[in-house]
Amino acid sequence: MEKSESTKIEIAETSKERKGKAPLLGAVPPVAAEHVRGRYKRGISIFDLILRISAMSLALAATVIMGTAEQTLPFFTQFFQFQASYDDLPTFAFFVVAMAIVSGYLVLSIPFSIVCIARPLAVGPRLLLIILDTMIVTLTTAAAGSSAAIVYLAHNGNSDANWLAICQQFTDFCQTTSEAVVAAFIAVALLVFMIVLSAFALRKH
Amino acid sequence: MEKSESTKIEIAETSKERKGKAPLLGAVPPVAAEHVRGRYKRGISIFDLILRISAMSLALAATVIMGTAEQTLPFFTQFFQFQASYDDLPTFAFFVVAMAIVSGYLVLSIPFSIVCIARPLAVGPRLLLIILDTMIVTLTTAAAGSSAAIVYLAHNGNSDANWLAICQQFTDFCQTTSEAVVAAFIAVALLVFMIVLSAFALRKH
């Protein structure tokens, strides 16, 4: 009889302890949630780093492709040799400078992205990255957009303004500059994606 | 012996229950902090609304200025009248379409900005705004940048590509389109500022 009561008490006890632990479990979640949130934010940061390295490679490729784009036509007159290089067009020169700045920024931002992986709940580096990324995305888009306008003009010309298409002669040059512009636009898309990811990582819950 | 064990267990129980409540008490002060944070975020939202209306006015002005830009020269030949309007240049036509989309988006986003003022701690509308703003800022920059390249070309021409400056004839047209491009660039700056503000409002702290 005594033995059985003892057993009974013990059962009641454990049930109470379970009840006592229920609010504890309810209060513990912040720590567990913090952990889950940390993992979620770390995942975003790792993805951000991958995108950042890809965007950096693209920006660097765009800079190099445009910077080395030149073509000398095989025919020439006595006084003049037909040659095209990126610095003949101020817009392409701006493209090279802007994309070099973008590449440099993306290289320098990689350590901050790594800090975000190591400390997924830190707000400072993430806020810094989203602000600088937003400014850099406008520079990249301005470079890509302005060069796209000139590349379009070089391909198609404009009869109303009496601007002739130069791509009929400088085919290789036009091909090369178009590739650089496409690379820059893909970099823009990656940067936009990075900003959206950072916004998701910045939000509270 | 059995009794004492039962008491001991009960003490351990209440001490555990107190531990369970401690974090609950610690969770009350945040209400005051929540209030301060709410006021801070409401201030940001009001500023965001002002910037949004300014950007919308600028985008609309840019659309209208570029869309109505045309000039007919006072001299003409028997077969041809010299006339320039925005749709002679595909880049300017893109500018008008893109800036019209930007204006439309900014008008539609005003209610969401008002929701952010009314409910300063809501994350959803703010996240939606920052994502759409980021996409729209690239569209605005692409329009402004590409048109800037063409306006620059129209002003200065390019001797290497044998493209002549048309602004020597179409002075008014060039003046008007330049104004539209400047308005678009100011709209870009305002949009970047709006994204940075939204990022500050999104962070936890």
Side-chain angles (χ1 to χ4, degrees):
Chain A
M1 185 64 188
E2 187 119 339
K3 183 91 179 164
S4 108
E5 205 181 8
S6 136
T7 322
K8 200 182 158 195
I9 286 166
E10 212 163 320
I11 289 166
E13 224 284 327
T14 45
S15 114
K16 244 185 209 166
E17 213 166 19
R18 203 166 289 151
K19 265 188 198 166
K21 256 182 193 162
L24 268 176
L25 277 170
V28 170
V31 176
E34 196 96 326
H35 184 67
V36 170
R37 207 159 63 192
R39 283 184 60 187
Y40 164 73
K41 293 198 171 181
R42 177 165 296 165
I44 289 183
S45 301
I46 292 170
F47 200 37
D48 178 272
L49 182 63
I50 295 168
L51 285 174
R52 202 169 286 279
I53 292 170
S54 315
M56 190 264 289
S57 318
L58 277 166
L60 207 60
T63 314
V64 172
I65 291 171
M66 184 64 94
T68 56
E70 60 174 338
Q71 188 183 6
T72 308
L73 292 190
F75 52 86
F76 46 89
T77 66
Q78 198 175 356
F79 308 107
F80 199 75
Q81 189 174 18
F82 294 97
Q83 188 184 4
S85 84
Y86 79 93
D87 54 3
D88 289 332
L89 292 150
T91 311
F92 288 166
F94 165 67
F95 182 94
V96 172
V97 173
M99 293 310 287
I101 293 172
V102 170
S103 312
Y105 161 76
L106 286 171
V107 169
L108 293 175
S109 72
I110 285 173
F112 290 92
S113 186
I114 292 169
V115 168
C116 285
I117 295 174
R119 298 186 56 202
L121 295 172
V123 173
R126 218 178 278 278
L127 199 62
L128 186 71
L129 280 183
I130 199 173
I131 292 169
L132 294 179
D133 281 354
T134 308
M135 289 169 182
I136 283 295
V137 80
T138 59
L139 185 62
T140 319
T141 314
S146 56
S147 290
I150 297 298
V151 165
Y152 180 86
L153 190 63
H155 272 284
N156 299 293
N158 188 296
S159 55
D160 293 304
N162 206 21
W163 292 332
L164 295 174
I166 57 165
C167 284
Q168 276 146 13
Q169 289 87 49
F170 295 99
T171 44
D172 288 357
F173 179 70
C174 279
Q175 184 65 31
T176 319
T177 51
S178 305
E179 280 165 14
V181 169
V182 169
F185 270 116
I186 299 172
V188 168
L190 293 183
L191 276 163
V192 167
F193 199 35
M194 272 154 55
I195 294 172
V196 170
L197 278 182
S198 292
F200 269 99
L202 259 185
R203 71 172 178 170
K204 272 190 304 185
H205 61 95
Chain B
M1 185 63 190
E2 188 120 341
K3 183 92 178 162
S4 108
E5 203 182 9
S6 136
T7 321
K8 198 184 160 197
I9 285 164
E10 211 162 322
I11 289 165
E13 223 282 329
T14 46
S15 113
K16 249 183 207 169
E17 215 164 18
R18 201 167 292 148
K19 262 189 200 162
K21 257 181 192 163
L24 268 175
L25 279 168
V28 175
V31 172
E34 196 96 326
H35 184 67
V36 170
R37 208 158 64 192
R39 283 184 60 187
Y40 164 73
K41 293 197 171 184
R42 176 165 296 164
I44 290 183
S45 301
I46 292 170
F47 200 36
D48 178 272
L49 182 63
I50 296 168
L51 285 175
R52 202 168 286 277
I53 292 170
S54 315
M56 190 263 290
S57 318
L58 277 165
L60 207 60
T63 314
V64 172
I65 292 171
M66 185 64 93
T68 55
E70 60 174 336
Q71 188 182 6
T72 307
L73 292 189
F75 52 86
F76 46 88
T77 65
Q78 198 175 356
F79 308 105
F80 198 76
Q81 189 174 19
F82 294 97
Q83 189 184 3
S85 85
Y86 79 92
D87 53 4
D88 290 333
L89 293 150
T91 310
F92 289 167
F94 166 66
F95 182 93
V96 172
V97 173
M99 293 311 287
I101 293 171
V102 171
S103 312
Y105 161 74
L106 286 171
V107 169
L108 292 175
S109 73
I110 286 174
F112 289 92
S113 186
I114 291 169
V115 167
C116 284
I117 296 175
R119 298 187 55 202
L121 294 174
V123 173
R126 218 178 278 278
L127 201 60
L128 185 73
L129 280 184
I130 199 171
I131 293 169
L132 295 178
D133 281 355
T134 308
M135 290 169 181
I136 283 295
V137 80
T138 59
L139 185 63
T140 319
T141 314
S146 56
S147 290
I150 297 297
V151 164
Y152 180 87
L153 189 63
H155 272 285
N156 299 294
N158 188 296
S159 54
D160 293 303
N162 207 21
W163 292 332
L164 295 173
I166 57 166
C167 285
Q168 275 146 14
Q169 289 87 49
F170 296 99
T171 44
D172 287 358
F173 178 71
C174 279
Q175 183 65 32
T176 318
T177 52
S178 305
E179 280 164 15
V181 170
V182 169
F185 270 117
I186 299 172
V188 168
L190 294 183
L191 276 163
V192 168
F193 199 34
M194 272 154 55
I195 294 171
V196 170
L197 278 182
S198 293
F200 269 99
L202 259 183
R203 71 172 176 168
K204 275 190 306 186
H205 81 100

